[in-house]
């Protein structure tokens, strides 16, 4: 057994994977490629479908539980709707746009130099527009229930402070974006090739688990487009009063996750320091 372990360790002394090169900050060439615009369209449609299904689920649950406390899918069902849709949509769009469907995910990947600024900005615009259109469809189909049951808008629950809501959004988004980085890590793909990893599955489960934990606090944002789209169509003051929490929290959580994965787990800071020392010793 010891011999096998030694052989296994020897196999990994050399780098057996290839990291993609960092994306340029601004890449004008992207604007000339159809694949760039196809990816933007994919993000728009995916976010539209995500909001349509999930907000309908939330309103359906509230309308059923209003007359029967045990009616509807419950918090567990809502969490499954969000997590399940992310699993499906990431699976469908990963090969086209990367399957972000969330400005916080896009922001985290931008900070890690996985996407350019131009692509990140256009993705966020497409995601927000898709969310607005998705919620607009829900209101068109369920106008009688939409305003009565809150329009699926994220609001800080009674009894919780804004600090608690912000912390819940930061931690929840950290879990999601950290999972995204881990599931798409080329190092993991190369070294765990004997274990088939379907990246959308852990990402969907991360969304599911975070919703179970934070629905009672903020309704669970962890996606600024989801919160923004619902607030725009719902239009009530309370949703706008708390809107900053659903932007600041996810962006902070995504930034922490990007730093943790890239500079702690992947030792980016150590590699950069080693490179600096090597350059200095050459003089």
């Amino acid at each position: 057994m010891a011999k096998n372990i030694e052989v296994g360790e020897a196999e990994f002394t050399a780098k057996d994977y290839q990291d993609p090169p960092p994306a340029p900050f601004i890449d004008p060439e992207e604007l000339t490629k159809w694949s760039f615009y196809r990816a933007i369209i994919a993000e728009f449609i995916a976010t539209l479908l995500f909001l349509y299904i999930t907000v309908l689920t939330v309103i359906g649950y509230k309308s059923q539980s209003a007359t029967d406390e045990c009616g509807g899918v419950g918090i567990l069902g809502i969490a499954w709707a969000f997590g399940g849709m992310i699993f499906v949509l990431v699976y469908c769009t990963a090969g086209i746009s990367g399957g972000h469907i969330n400005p916080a995910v896009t922001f985290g990947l931008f900070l890690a130099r996985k996407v350019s600024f131009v692509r990140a900005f256009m993705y966020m615009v497409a995601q927000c527009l898709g969310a607005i259109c998705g919620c607009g469809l829900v209101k068109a189909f369920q106008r009688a229930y939409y305003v009565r049951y809150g329009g699926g808008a994220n609001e800080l629950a009674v009894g919780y402070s804004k600090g608690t809501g912000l912390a819940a959004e930061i931690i929840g988004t950290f879990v999601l974006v950290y999972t995204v980085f881990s599931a798409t890590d080329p190092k993991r793909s190369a070294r765990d090739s004997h274990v088939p990893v379907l990246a959308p599955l852990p990402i969907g489960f991360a969304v599911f688990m975070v919703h179970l934990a934070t629905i009672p606090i903020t309704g669970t944002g962890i996606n600024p487009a989801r919160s923004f789209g619902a607030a725009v169509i719902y239009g009530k003051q309370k949703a706008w009063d708390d809107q900053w929490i659903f932007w600041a929290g996810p962006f902070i959580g995504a930034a922490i996750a990007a730093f943790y994965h890239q500079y702690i787990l992947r030792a980016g800071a150590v590699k950069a320091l080693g490179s600096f020392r090597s350059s200095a010793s050459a003089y």
Side-chain angles (χ1 to χ4, degrees):
M1 180 64 72
K3 186 176 181 180
N4 290 339
I5 293 173
E6 289 171 2
V7 171
E9 289 174 350
E11 289 175 357
F12 294 129
T13 54
K15 189 173 181 180
D16 56 351
Y17 64 95
Q18 185 65 45
D19 282 318
F25 181 75
I26 296 178
D27 186 6
E29 242 183 80
E30 283 187 315
L31 300 175
T32 65
K33 297 178 180 177
W34 163 241
S35 59
F36 174 70
Y37 298 100
R38 182 181 63 183
I40 293 171
I41 294 169
E43 286 293 310
F44 170 82
I45 295 297
T47 313
L48 183 154
L49 295 174
F50 176 60
L51 268 293
Y52 174 72
I53 295 297
T54 55
V55 172
L56 267 181
T57 302
V58 171
I59 293 174
Y61 161 66
K62 288 185 175 181
S63 64
Q64 290 172 322
S65 61
T67 54
D68 178 7
E69 290 186 0
C70 297
V73 296
I75 289 179
L76 183 64
I78 293 172
W80 272 121
F82 279 89
M85 278 304 291
I86 286 296
F87 167 71
V88 169
L89 294 169
V90 171
Y91 178 82
C92 291
T93 60
I96 301 171
S97 65
H100 297 192
I101 321 170
N102 184 336
V105 171
T106 301
F107 181 66
L109 293 173
F110 165 69
L111 293 180
R113 299 288 302 277
K114 304 291 186 183
V115 295
S116 69
F117 173 77
V118 174
R119 183 176 290 265
F121 176 77
M122 292 305 296
Y123 273 20
M124 290 182 192
V125 171
Q127 291 155 359
C128 289
L129 291 176
I132 292 170
C133 292
C135 291
L137 284 176
V138 175
K139 186 173 183 179
F141 294 153
Q142 295 279 359
R143 186 172 294 274
Y145 298 105
Y146 187 84
V147 176
R148 187 188 311 172
Y149 295 112
N154 287 123
E155 297 176 356
L156 187 64
V158 176
Y160 292 98
S161 68
K162 292 186 184 295
T164 300
L166 181 64
E169 289 296 306
I170 291 172
I171 296 170
T173 311
F174 174 88
V175 172
L176 170 59
V177 178
Y178 173 40
T179 304
V180 170
F181 275 106
S182 298
T184 58
D185 190 344
K187 182 177 180 179
R188 174 186 292 272
S189 300
R191 297 187 178 180
D192 295 343
S193 57
H194 60 287
V195 180
V197 178
L198 185 60
L201 188 59
I203 295 170
F205 262 107
V207 172
F208 167 69
M209 298 304 294
V210 171
H211 274 76
L212 285 182
T214 58
I215 282 176
I217 303 173
T218 61
T220 309
I222 68 170
N223 184 335
R226 175 259 185 276
S227 303
F228 179 71
V232 168
I233 301 300
Y234 183 51
K236 300 298 181 180
Q237 188 60 42
K238 174 62 174 171
W240 287 114
D241 288 342
D242 299 334
Q243 186 66 198
W244 69 272
I245 293 174
F246 302 106
W247 284 86
F251 275 31
I252 293 171
I256 296 171
F259 177 83
Y260 175 64
H261 185 269
Q262 294 297 102
Y263 292 99
I264 306 299
L265 299 186
R266 294 298 305 277
V270 174
K271 292 174 184 175
L273 181 61
S275 176
F276 173 76
R277 285 176 175 171
S278 298
S279 299
S281 63
Y283 291 98

